[in-house]
Amino acid sequence: MKKQALITGATSGIGRATALRLAREGYAIIATGRRAERLEELRKEIEAAGGECRTLCFDVRDRLRVEEMLSPIERVDLLVNNAGLAAGLEHIDRGSTEDWDAMIDTNVKGLLYVTRVISPKMVSAGHGHIINLGSIAGTEAYENGAVYCASKHAVHALSQSMRADLLSSGIKVTEIRPGMVETEFSEVRFHGDKTRAAGVYRGVEPLTGDDIAEAIAWAAQLPAHMNVNDMVLMPAQQAGAFYTYRK
């Protein structure tokens, strides 16, 4: 029987790359996201390569929809809580409360809603692995990013607490905390401004979604007695939220 991996936010970036990478590892994929057309493209790509993929279209911010879509799933061996976003880059006195709601509802509450449905299935099975996508912003707060940083600080704390809560059930919990990764992340943060988004990566060779997916696949294949608690990944030109060498 194939292991099953559930990946949230699988329509682009790290989530999509992770779905493709884990499919190559032999996982049956359950890919979720808000964009049905992209999910369908992902399913076709995985199946064309000989893999298995099921798609579920919903927004993790909608608790009732999360419960409706995920409750019927009988087994999940690997949960990748990837769905997340940054919105806006302003000082706290000029920030958009709509942006704040989007970040908190997706990055924190959405992760919790999904985990609340899936983790009891793992507890019942006596095994499982939860991988949460955090960020270096989860330990290094920076100017103009107060609410995004707060949401990723929450993911960092939740990952640590989840690990303790689920320890006796044989469930691993890993947090992946990337630095600069070039995906749609910055375009979303700047509300579609591609020029401003491109400036984030000026002079730097950033990580890619494939790079993070490779790290996730590595952590997922370790023996049962080994767990990666926390993995921090950055481009070679980055040493933290405040230190980036641009050529």
Side-chain angles (χ1 to χ4, degrees):
M1 182 183 297
K2 279 191 172 185
K3 289 185 176 182
Q4 290 205 115
L6 171 63
I7 302 150
T8 65
T11 56
S12 66
I14 293 170
R16 189 178 195 280
T18 299
L20 292 167
R21 182 66 182 83
L22 292 177
R24 293 200 301 273
E25 286 293 313
Y27 281 87
I29 303 299
I30 305 171
T32 85
R34 295 179 296 158
R35 293 174 282 191
E37 288 184 5
R38 290 199 179 188
L39 285 174
E40 181 62 12
E41 290 171 2
L42 175 63
R43 182 189 66 78
K44 288 179 179 178
E45 186 170 349
I46 289 174
E47 291 182 351
E52 296 180 24
C53 182
R54 172 183 173 192
T55 63
L56 300 172
C57 189
F58 64 90
D59 189 332
V60 297
R61 294 177 292 184
D62 185 337
R63 180 179 60 82
L64 295 179
R65 185 70 168 155
V66 169
E67 293 171 354
E68 176 190 354
M69 298 299 286
L70 299 185
S71 292
I73 298 172
E74 294 183 3
R75 176 177 56 88
V76 173
D77 300 290
L78 173 61
L79 167 61
V80 182
N81 278 316
N82 167 74
L85 76 156
L89 194 70
E90 301 89 15
H91 283 173
I92 196 73
D93 57 303
R94 296 194 293 273
S96 160
T97 55
E98 290 183 0
D99 285 347
W100 297 353
D101 286 343
M103 287 185 280
I104 292 169
D105 289 349
T106 304
N107 300 355
V108 183
K109 293 167 68 177
L111 181 150
L112 287 170
Y113 295 157
V114 172
T115 303
R116 181 61 183 87
V117 177
I118 298 302
S119 59
K121 302 176 190 293
M122 292 181 170
V123 171
S124 295
H127 68 87
H129 194 169
I130 298 171
I131 297 182
N132 296 325
L133 263 295
S135 167
I136 61 170
T139 54
E140 298 182 70
Y142 53 80
E143 185 180 9
N144 291 315
V147 177
Y148 176 70
C149 292
S151 73
K152 290 302 184 178
H153 272 65
V155 172
H156 186 51
L158 285 169
S159 298
Q160 293 173 312
S161 295
M162 275 185 203
R163 192 173 302 117
D165 287 347
L166 300 172
L167 191 62
S168 63
S169 299
I171 298 167
K172 299 181 181 185
V173 178
T174 295
E175 184 189 8
I176 305 289
R177 296 198 292 114
M180 196 179 291
V181 184
E182 187 169 13
T183 61
E184 294 180 358
F185 177 87
S186 289
E187 286 185 33
V188 172
R189 164 165 261 175
F190 298 128
H191 303 290
D193 186 334
K194 294 181 184 293
T195 301
R196 192 177 179 193
V200 173
Y201 311 107
R202 178 185 49 79
V204 177
E205 183 179 353
L207 299 176
T208 67
D210 288 337
D211 294 328
I212 308 306
E214 193 65 33
I216 290 169
W218 177 77
Q221 60 80 44
L222 291 173
H225 71 285
M226 286 183 68
N227 183 56
V228 175
N229 288 359
D230 187 8
M231 187 187 299
V232 181
L233 302 164
M234 297 184 207
Q237 291 172 249
Q238 186 178 28
F242 306 101
Y243 303 101
T244 303
Y245 171 64
R246 300 180 187 271
K247 294 181 180 179

